[in-house]
Amino acid sequence: MLALSRQVITSSSVACLCLFAVSLLQFPRMQKLLSDKPTTSVEALEREINAEQVRLKLLKKIPTFGYDNLIANWIYLNFLQYFGDDEIRKKTGYGLSPQYFEVILKRDPRFVNAYLALSASTSMYAGMPEKSVNIMNNALQSLNPWVPENSYYVWRYKAIDELLFLGDSQAAIKSFTKASEWASEHSNEESRLAQSVSRRTAEFLKTNPDSKYAQISAWGMVLSHGTDKQTYERAIREIEALGGKVVVTPQGNQIQFPKKD
């Protein structure tokens, strides 16, 4: 028994050391890349992207011995550094976004905040809404209306991708309806609002698959959960292009819908 315990401890230690080794190997290169931004060539940046891609593939497969949540949080911090580096992303794009979330959500499918970043970075910035929806479909198998408590948001993010970026109103109806059903399991004000908005958006789409009201509602959801200034500003532009108007009030942003759908 003692030998077995030592073996388990040793295996866990080896796994952790491997993970930290991968991190430490990457860290000096990343720091140098950040400090050399003005002079870094596109070729050098592409090499770094390829190296990061290899690292993410390794992290997707390596055993974690129960440290899944820790690894998910760590990779999410890595993603935030990647996503937030606007200067470099203008040169290389956001193509690694879905790979970050394949690792994050495989390790911790209950990490609800990660789904919002997945939707924004992969659908809106990387232009891969199919990938975003597929990742969410896989992760949703590990969720239910109560675990985690606000898991209905994942159905809403998926519905937004389906409606606004895939143009699949029928899939969006199903996702908004599911979001409404899951939100109805909770009695707090936030859940009641999510239940109502999701239900009404699904109803708009049932009567009119090209409903401007439904699209404005979806962009309104993006606006209320905007992860960055660019996403926030785009949501306002899209709402206005559909005939709506965003009014800033002390209570928050209020959306005025056009008189006709």
Side-chain angles (χ1 to χ4, degrees):
M1 179 66 72
L2 181 60
L4 179 59
S5 298
R6 287 176 177 171
Q7 183 179 1
V8 171
I9 293 171
T10 301
S11 298
S12 299
S13 300
V14 169
C16 290
L17 285 172
C18 288
L19 289 167
F20 281 112
V22 172
S23 176
L24 290 172
L25 285 171
Q26 188 72 9
F27 187 75
R29 295 164 64 181
M30 189 175 295
Q31 288 299 103
K32 186 176 187 305
L33 183 66
L34 292 172
S35 63
D36 293 345
K37 278 182 187 178
T39 58
T40 304
S41 67
V42 174
E43 290 77 12
L45 292 173
E46 289 294 340
R47 286 196 295 272
E48 291 298 330
I49 292 295
N50 290 336
E52 181 72 350
Q53 191 172 29
V54 171
R55 186 178 75 110
L56 290 170
K57 287 181 179 178
L58 175 62
L59 289 168
K60 189 177 179 181
K61 297 177 181 178
I62 194 169
T64 60
F65 298 94
Y67 292 97
D68 285 320
N69 288 2
L70 179 64
I71 300 306
N73 289 334
W74 173 54
I75 299 300
Y76 186 67
L77 291 175
N78 280 225
F79 162 76
L80 291 177
Q81 185 177 32
Y82 166 85
F83 182 75
D85 198 333
D86 297 335
E87 191 173 332
I88 289 181
R89 295 287 74 76
K90 287 177 182 177
K91 296 180 180 180
T92 66
Y94 295 83
L96 283 185
S97 292
Q99 294 182 49
Y100 277 107
F101 289 99
E102 284 177 336
V103 179
I104 293 167
L105 295 174
K106 177 183 179 183
R107 300 302 183 187
D108 185 7
R110 298 176 181 178
F111 190 172
V112 172
N113 287 341
Y115 290 90
L116 173 58
L118 162 66
S119 177
S121 66
T122 302
S123 297
M124 195 176 301
Y125 287 87
M128 293 186 277
E130 298 93 343
K131 194 73 174 177
S132 177
V133 168
N134 286 338
I135 293 171
M136 282 191 264
N137 277 331
N138 290 332
L140 273 165
Q141 297 175 35
S142 300
L143 307 184
N144 64 52
W146 308 278
V147 182
E149 185 176 349
N150 54 351
S151 55
Y152 55 82
Y153 275 116
V154 180
W155 285 106
R156 280 158 63 92
Y157 300 145
K158 188 166 88 77
I160 289 169
D161 283 354
E162 290 163 341
L163 176 62
L164 300 181
F165 303 110
L166 289 178
D168 190 344
S169 59
Q170 294 306 309
I173 289 170
K174 293 178 182 178
S175 295
F176 278 125
T177 301
K178 204 72 173 178
S180 179
E181 291 172 355
W182 283 26
S184 69
E185 298 287 343
H186 306 280
S187 59
N188 60 75
E189 185 177 350
E190 181 182 2
S191 298
R192 288 199 301 269
L193 178 60
Q195 188 271 336
S196 175
V197 173
S198 299
R199 176 180 51 78
R200 283 190 284 111
T201 305
E203 289 173 353
F204 288 149
L205 289 171
K206 287 177 182 177
T207 57
N208 179 7
D210 299 318
S211 170
K212 290 183 179 180
Y213 285 5
Q215 294 176 60
I216 290 173
S217 293
W219 279 114
M221 295 176 202
V222 173
L223 181 66
S224 63
H225 298 285
T227 55
D228 60 274
K229 184 179 179 181
Q230 285 178 276
T231 300
Y232 181 87
E233 291 176 346
R234 179 174 176 182
I236 292 176
R237 289 197 305 271
E238 296 286 354
I239 289 169
E240 291 176 345
L242 289 163
K245 185 178 181 181
V246 177
V247 180
V248 180
T249 72
Q251 292 74 37
N253 293 319
Q254 302 292 326
I255 298 176
Q256 294 180 355
F257 288 78
K259 293 182 179 180
K260 293 184 179 181
D261 193 353

